[in-house]
Amino acid sequence: MSDMTNTSSDNSTLNDTEQELRARYLEIAELAGGLAHEIRNPLSTISLNLGVLREELDGADDPRDQRMVKRLAAIQTECDRLEDFLNDFLQFARVMELNFQAVDVSEFVSELIEFIKPELSQQSIEISPHLGTNLPAVQIDEALFRRGLLNLTRNAQQAMPDGGVLEFQTYLADDQVVLEIIDTGKGIPENVREKIFDPFFSTKTGGSGLGLPTVCKIIEAHQGEIQCASEIDKGTRFRITLPVLPKSD
């Protein structure tokens, strides 16, 4: 009886802690959203005025005016980059409130493949699906999970600029549903691979460094895990594990 009481008390403490952490997280996310909004407003004004100035100088023959056009274009590029960063940051900060649904991962991935197939075929990337059948359902927020998988797919595309193979695998292992996304791209160096899930770390010029960290947060919000294995000039494998949805009595 005493042990049962202690367990209940421990669970209550954990629930209280989880609620407190959730409340703090939501507060931070709200502050982040407000900050991004305050930055976006003047940024939009700057971009608008840059467009007006470029239109006024459009077709100018004077060398000085032509130099000004190039400088304005460079400023516009930086404004666009900052806008992209704000969007990435908001996605990273707001991964918390989920709308869970019971989903068959193989069916979900099959629909995703149909969506991305036309674009990948133009890049000479072959999709190779190996999707398990009759897998137990998992709980996911479809829109958020899809965003995460599309992010991984874009990374694979960038790793195979001359074409290759993108493989999707789903199967059951140790009472967990596993999804693997494997490309035949250029691979990730070990010193980079150790940091790819760190916020703001990027090897891409102008990259926000929030793409893969956001994917990691999405998977963790689903009580799952994501791992990466890679070999130079051979490819990269992302392995996602998700807990099986308990069967109702």
Side-chain angles (χ1 to χ4, degrees):
M1 181 68 71
S2 175
D3 289 342
M4 292 180 63
T5 302
N6 288 338
T7 299
S8 176
S9 176
D10 290 343
N11 288 339
S12 176
T13 300
L14 287 173
N15 288 335
D16 290 344
T17 301
E18 183 179 350
Q19 290 297 328
E20 183 180 350
L21 290 174
R22 179 181 291 269
R24 289 181 181 177
Y25 182 93
L26 291 175
E27 182 180 357
I28 293 172
E30 184 176 352
L31 289 171
L35 174 63
H37 181 72
E38 290 299 320
I39 295 175
R40 180 172 280 135
N41 283 341
L43 182 63
S44 297
T45 301
I46 293 171
S47 294
L48 179 62
N49 282 281
L50 283 172
V52 171
L53 289 173
R54 292 176 68 182
E55 286 181 2
E56 291 181 356
L57 293 171
D58 187 39
D61 295 326
D62 184 77
R64 178 176 177 275
D65 289 344
Q66 291 177 352
R67 288 195 299 270
M68 288 180 63
V69 169
K70 290 182 179 179
R71 288 168 183 163
L72 290 172
I75 296 172
Q76 183 64 64
T77 297
E78 290 304 304
C79 285
D80 293 342
R81 187 178 71 83
L82 184 54
E83 178 74 22
D84 291 339
F85 174 81
L86 287 174
N87 291 332
D88 290 343
F89 178 71
L90 284 174
Q91 288 184 7
F92 178 76
R94 290 178 174 171
V95 177
M96 192 64 177
E97 294 300 315
L98 306 181
N99 179 24
F100 282 122
Q101 296 183 16
V103 170
D104 181 314
V105 169
S106 291
E107 292 180 3
F108 185 84
V109 172
S110 181
E111 293 175 2
L112 180 76
I113 289 173
E114 290 303 312
F115 175 75
I116 64 175
K117 185 184 295 184
E119 181 180 349
L120 267 62
S121 63
Q122 292 180 355
Q123 198 175 323
S124 299
I125 295 176
E126 175 189 350
I127 298 180
S128 177
H130 299 277
L131 308 179
T133 57
N134 300 319
L135 295 178
V138 297
Q139 283 198 124
I140 67 171
D141 179 304
E142 294 192 29
L144 196 60
F145 197 75
R146 186 172 185 267
R147 184 196 304 168
L149 297 190
L150 287 174
N151 194 309
L152 293 176
T153 301
R154 283 194 295 271
N155 277 8
Q157 285 181 263
Q158 293 169 2
M160 299 184 288
D162 300 320
V165 178
L166 182 61
E167 183 176 351
F168 291 87
Q169 296 183 6
T170 59
Y171 55 91
L172 186 65
D174 299 326
D175 295 325
Q176 291 184 312
V177 171
V178 181
L179 164 61
E180 295 193 359
I181 300 177
I182 309 161
D183 67 58
T184 57
K186 49 194 176 184
I188 306 172
E190 183 176 356
N191 64 317
V192 174
R193 191 168 68 251
E194 294 172 349
K195 302 177 181 178
I196 58 174
F197 295 122
D198 293 347
F200 306 111
F201 173 79
S202 178
T203 59
K204 302 173 185 176
T205 302
S208 67
L210 290 173
L212 287 175
T214 300
V215 174
C216 186
K217 284 189 68 176
I218 290 173
I219 301 305
E220 290 177 349
H222 287 78
Q223 306 303 311
E225 294 183 358
I226 182 169
Q227 299 172 322
C228 177
S230 189
E231 192 170 348
I232 297 300
D233 295 329
K234 291 190 176 181
T236 299
R237 175 192 303 260
F238 284 97
R239 186 176 189 267
I240 298 169
T241 57
L242 298 168
V244 171
L245 181 64
K247 295 181 180 179
S248 57
D249 294 333

